[in-house]
Structures are given as structure tokens and as C-alpha cells.
Amino acid sequence: MAILTVTAGNDGAARHLCPPPTPGKNGSHAMDEIDKRLIAMLQQNAREPVAALAKRLGISRSTTRDRLDRLQARGVIVGYTLRLGPDYAHKRILAHAMLNVDPKRHEGVAAALAGCAGVRALYAVSGEFDLIAVLEADTPADMDALLDAIGDVDGVIRTRSSVLLSEKFSR
């Protein structure tokens, strides 16, 4: 990356308008604004062609491909996913289940929930609860059964659930 240097002021000192990238872990470089914009574009549409991404970023296709490869090699991008269309997604029942867990059984609870098809994500959190599970089911009866199954997992002390009614926005 080129560094743009301009001589300014009466002292004749060089001023860096574009400082060199900051090295990160393992000698890799921190993300710049183009990397951040590229990631945001992919979060909106992970299937957008590299040529279209390059055009929107104002850089060449090969530079865009190099940036994608570098972000993947560094583990910043670890995969691509899909978003469900509103007609299908609105038919699904989503909920968050907050769980208090016996600290000695935390790993066992996480492993048990990883085996439940209706558990989409599990987060360790601070505060009143220990974990929050993101749940998905086809019907209210399926959600009820999933919540009962979670409550029966050895090590789960208490749960509190909230069914999601509508999505206001998603990024």
C-alpha cells in the first residue's frame, strides 16, 4: 500500500495523510475502510459477484479478489450464508430462551443444545442469565416442545423465553 506524504507547514515536516496499515495478529494488517465496506456489502448479499463489488468499491476486480482472499485467510470471513425470503421467514416461529445453568454443567448444557435442531445459536451472556438460545420452530406446538426439551436438559436450572413477533430490521 502506498503512503501519501505531503510536506506542510513552515517546519518542512512530512505529514502522513494515509498512514501505513497497523499490523495485527501474526503480522496481518488491520482492516481499512474498504475492507469494512466490502464486508458490509457481503452481509447484505453474499452472492454479489466480485466484479460488482469491485465497481461499487471503486477498485479493480483483482484487488477485490485479493482482499476477499486475505480476509478469508485471516479468519475474518469464515463462510457465507443465506437469508430466508420474507414469505418463508414470516411463517417460522422464532424465540429467545434465556437460561440459568449450573456452572459445573455449562459445557454439557451447551453440547446438548448443539444437538437440538431447533436451536439456531447459543450465546454466553453476562447478567441475570448465563446463556441465550435463539430458537426456531414450524408451529407453536413445536416451539413448546423445544422449550420443554431445553428445560429438561441436565444442568438447566431455569428458563425464560420470549417469542419474537416481528423483525424491525436486520443487518
Side-chain angles (χ1 to χ4, degrees):
M1 172 189 271
I3 300 172
L4 178 59
T5 304
V6 175
T7 303
N10 292 336
D11 62 0
R15 307 280 192 257
H16 295 290
L17 298 182
C18 296
T22 306
K25 285 197 282 184
N26 304 326
S28 62
H29 293 293
M31 285 194 300
D32 63 12
E33 286 306 311
I34 293 175
D35 286 340
K36 291 175 185 176
R37 287 178 47 214
L38 177 57
I39 289 169
M41 288 179 205
L42 290 170
Q43 286 176 314
Q44 291 298 310
N45 179 6
R47 292 185 59 173
E48 188 165 355
V50 173
L53 293 167
K55 184 175 182 178
R56 290 176 58 197
L57 290 168
I59 59 177
S60 73
R61 184 187 179 289
S62 62
T63 299
T64 303
R65 170 55 46 210
D66 289 344
R67 284 176 175 270
L68 282 170
D69 291 344
R70 183 172 35 90
L71 290 168
Q72 289 172 359
R74 288 177 43 211
V76 174
I77 297 175
V78 295
Y80 296 85
T81 188
L82 64 90
R83 290 190 325 227
L84 299 172
D87 291 341
Y88 178 79
H90 291 310
K91 294 176 186 171
R92 308 289 292 159
I93 297 171
L94 302 174
H96 289 167
M98 289 74 70
L99 290 76
N100 283 119
V101 176
D102 178 342
K104 295 178 183 175
R105 294 192 170 107
H106 197 275
E107 288 183 30
V109 170
L113 295 180
C116 294
V119 178
R120 292 287 165 238
L122 183 65
Y123 300 96
V125 295
S126 63
E128 182 181 351
F129 293 93
D130 304 304
L131 299 170
I132 295 179
V134 179
L135 312 176
E136 182 177 40
D138 289 326
T139 67
D142 291 343
M143 182 61 74
D144 188 36
L146 178 59
L147 289 167
D148 286 346
I150 290 170
D152 289 340
V153 170
D154 190 33
V156 173
I157 298 168
R158 178 173 71 106
T159 66
R160 181 181 301 162
S161 60
S162 297
V163 174
L164 304 181
L165 301 175
S166 67
E167 181 178 285
K168 300 303 182 186
F169 68 88
S170 178
R171 293 193 170 102

